[in-house]
């Protein structure tokens, strides 16, 4: 879920790409924001840019 978010995809595009419902994606994006203690997608993107190892550890999960 993190990679498409960081790529700048919107919820609808993520849902299509991952074959998930829009509601599921909304819930998962909200969860990612909470895990990063971020108020929005841009805060997550900036954190990933400053700590790229986070994207690798997310792929291992």
């Amino acid at each position: 879920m993190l990679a498409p978010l960081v790529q700048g995809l919107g919820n609808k595009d993520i849902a299509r790409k991952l074959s998930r419902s829009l509601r599921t994606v909304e819930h998962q994006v909200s969860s990612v924001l909470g895990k990063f203690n971020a108020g929005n997608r841009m805060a997550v993107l900036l954190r990933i840019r400053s700590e790229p190892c986070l994207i690798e550890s997310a792929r291992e999960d």
Side-chain angles (χ1 to χ4, degrees):
M1 175 56 63
L2 188 56
L5 186 79
V6 172
Q7 291 171 356
L9 297 179
N11 289 352
K12 288 180 183 179
D13 294 324
I14 294 171
R16 273 189 237 117
K17 181 176 182 171
L18 299 179
S19 299
R20 304 278 189 255
S21 74
L22 180 57
R23 181 71 181 123
T24 297
V25 170
E26 289 170 351
H27 177 74
Q28 291 176 336
V29 167
S30 178
S31 178
V32 169
L33 293 177
K35 287 178 182 180
F36 279 84
N37 196 26
N40 56 48
R41 295 166 185 256
M42 184 58 72
V44 172
L45 175 63
L46 293 174
R47 175 105 183 262
I48 292 296
R49 285 192 177 174
S50 68
E51 301 175 56
C53 62
L54 293 173
I55 200 95
E56 291 302 320
S57 64
R59 287 183 182 144
E60 294 172 5
D61 291 341

